[in-house]
């Protein structure tokens, strides 16, 4: 999956699925999040950025419908620990998008939420290639 | 004194609690203190340049807003010594650096293993004081 942003070709070498950000500080979670946010500005990019402020104004049902029906290629769930319920998680899995699930390092336990989300990555596991041209 | 509070029921009511590190970080004055330089070096693998920018691990110049949240948390705890700072977003490496601080207030919503440390310093945990973090870890976890 690739995006063109400001002359750079960004390639996400990942299969569709939910990837949770869980690493030591300084590994690039926030930086990656900022990058993903900027992708939303590309017209018809197929990118969905979720945030707590965004989801607090819609129901869980509406959120799940939007995730599944939207046909997104990339979904970024900023502070996903605040609103990704088991139902929302299942919707994210069903979306067939690459889902970047940002969360807290130390504290949030997806198992608490009943989610079998043990896919985590370090800066070596999520690889993206940038070609400047 | 470095104060660690774990669990919201243990938050003292006489201090202001800051939930979001990112929101208060713009209030930190970066002057290249020893702590700030250490954080940039140890966590960001970079180096201090001036009060607006640092050099990242790839040699690029970044603004401090691009630092990791863990790095910002340490600087916030150090700068706003009277506030209690939510450090849930800190990785173990960032939490360990908190032990370099002479004073500050760290909050964690929960903790199931011992606290990491670089300097085995005096610490108060939920109001109970220990001469060393290692003793706290032995006592609590």
């Amino acid at each position: 999956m690739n995006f063109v942003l400001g002359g750079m070709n960004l390639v996400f070498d990942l299969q569709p699925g939910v990837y949770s950000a869980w690493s030591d500080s300084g590994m690039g979670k926030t930086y990656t999040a900022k990058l993903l946010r900027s992708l939303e500005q590309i017209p018809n990019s197929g990118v969905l950025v979720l945030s707590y402020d965004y989801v607090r104004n819609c129901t869980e049902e509406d959120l799940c419908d939007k995730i599944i029906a939207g046909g997104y290629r990339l979904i970024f769930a900023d502070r996903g620990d605040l609103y990704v319920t088991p139902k929302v998680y299942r919707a994210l899995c069903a979306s067939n998008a690459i889902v970047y699930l940002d969360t807290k390092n130390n504290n949030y336990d997806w198992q608490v939420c009943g989610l079998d989300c043990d896919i985590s990555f370090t800066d070596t596991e999520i690889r993206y290639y940038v070609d400047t041209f | 004194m470095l104060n660690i509070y774990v669990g919201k029921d243990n938050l003292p009511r006489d201090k202001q609690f800051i939930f979001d590190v990112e929101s208060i970080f713009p209030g930190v004055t970066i002057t290249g203190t020893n702590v700030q330089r250490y954080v940039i070096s140890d966590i960001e693998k970079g180096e201090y340049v001036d009060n607006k920018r640092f050099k990242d691990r790839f040699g690029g110049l970044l603004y401090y807003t691009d630092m990791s949240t863990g790095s910002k948390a340490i600087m916030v705890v150090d700068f706003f010594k009277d506030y209690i700072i939510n450090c849930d977003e800190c990785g173990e490496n960032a939490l360990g650096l908190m032990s370099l601080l002479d004073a500050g207030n760290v909050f964690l919503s929960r903790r199931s293993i011992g606290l990491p440390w670089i300097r085995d310093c005096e610490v108060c945990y939920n109001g109970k004081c220990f001469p060393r973090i290692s003793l706290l870890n032995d006592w609590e976890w």
Side-chain angles (χ1 to χ4, degrees):
Chain A
M1 178 186 301
N2 72 299
F3 300 87
V4 178
L5 179 69
M8 293 191 296
N9 185 35
L10 294 159
V11 177
F12 288 85
D13 186 19
L14 295 165
Q15 296 300 311
V18 178
Y19 298 84
S20 74
W22 191 283
S23 71
D24 264 351
S25 293
M27 297 294 252
K29 296 186 300 299
T30 303
Y31 201 82
T32 300
K34 287 188 175 181
L35 178 69
L36 294 177
R37 278 191 172 278
S38 62
L39 293 177
E40 195 187 23
Q41 299 164 19
I42 303 173
N44 303 313
S45 61
V47 175
L48 173 66
V49 175
L50 298 175
S51 66
Y52 180 61
D53 286 337
Y54 176 92
V55 304
R56 68 196 299 181
N57 294 318
C58 66
T59 65
E60 184 186 42
E61 201 70 41
D62 289 342
L63 177 60
C64 291
D65 288 344
K66 181 177 178 61
I67 289 170
I68 293 174
Y72 297 103
R73 296 196 292 155
L74 183 68
I75 299 176
F76 168 43
D78 187 14
R79 298 293 303 276
D81 52 303
L82 294 177
Y83 54 85
V84 174
T85 63
K87 198 166 186 174
V88 173
Y89 176 71
R90 282 192 289 275
L92 290 170
C93 292
S95 68
N96 204 39
I98 294 174
V99 181
Y100 179 98
L101 220 170
D102 195 32
T103 183
K104 299 175 194 249
N105 276 306
N106 267 339
N107 182 44
Y108 195 77
D109 184 353
W110 295 103
Q111 302 302 323
V112 172
C113 200
L115 306 177
D116 188 18
C117 181
D118 59 353
I119 304 171
S120 61
F121 70 91
T122 66
D123 62 341
T124 58
E125 290 174 19
I126 185 168
R127 285 179 286 273
Y128 49 88
Y129 306 90
V130 177
D131 297 321
T132 306
F133 62 101
Chain B
M1 173 64 68
L2 180 65
N3 292 296
I4 311 286
Y5 301 100
V6 176
K8 61 181 181 180
D9 292 339
N10 292 309
L11 274 175
R13 298 186 187 280
D14 60 343
K15 284 187 170 61
Q16 186 170 346
F17 175 65
I18 304 298
F19 177 76
D20 185 1
V21 164
E22 294 280 353
S23 67
I24 198 172
F25 179 73
V28 172
T29 301
I30 305 224
T31 55
T33 65
N34 286 340
V35 168
Q36 291 170 351
R37 286 173 186 266
Y38 197 99
V39 166
I40 294 167
S41 167
D42 193 73
I43 295 182
E44 304 296 329
K45 308 299 183 208
E47 62 184 74
Y48 171 84
V49 173
D50 57 32
N51 64 347
K52 288 191 179 355
R53 301 165 302 172
F54 70 102
K55 195 178 282 186
D56 74 358
R57 66 186 69 206
F58 304 112
L61 280 179
L62 294 178
Y63 292 109
Y64 289 107
T65 48
D66 291 319
M67 264 192 329
S68 75
T69 307
S71 296
K72 292 175 183 173
I74 299 169
M75 293 188 183
V76 166
V77 171
D78 186 41
F79 191 82
F80 294 103
K81 294 189 193 302
D82 292 333
Y83 294 169
I84 302 176
I85 309 300
N86 177 24
C87 293
D88 274 341
E89 294 192 59
C90 290
E92 293 296 288
N93 55 341
L95 277 182
L97 290 195
M98 295 289 181
S99 63
L100 294 178
L101 305 180
D102 292 323
N105 302 284
V106 171
F107 171 78
L108 299 170
S109 52
R110 57 192 174 113
R111 185 79 188 170
S112 58
I113 58 173
L115 293 169
W117 49 269
I118 303 293
R119 185 173 67 109
D120 200 3
C121 63
E122 191 178 8
V123 65
C124 285
Y125 170 75
N126 290 342
K128 184 177 172 64
C129 294
F130 296 81
R132 298 197 301 276
I133 295 178
S134 54
L135 290 177
L136 159 62
N137 288 342
D138 289 341
W139 177 76
E140 176 70 0
W141 295 285

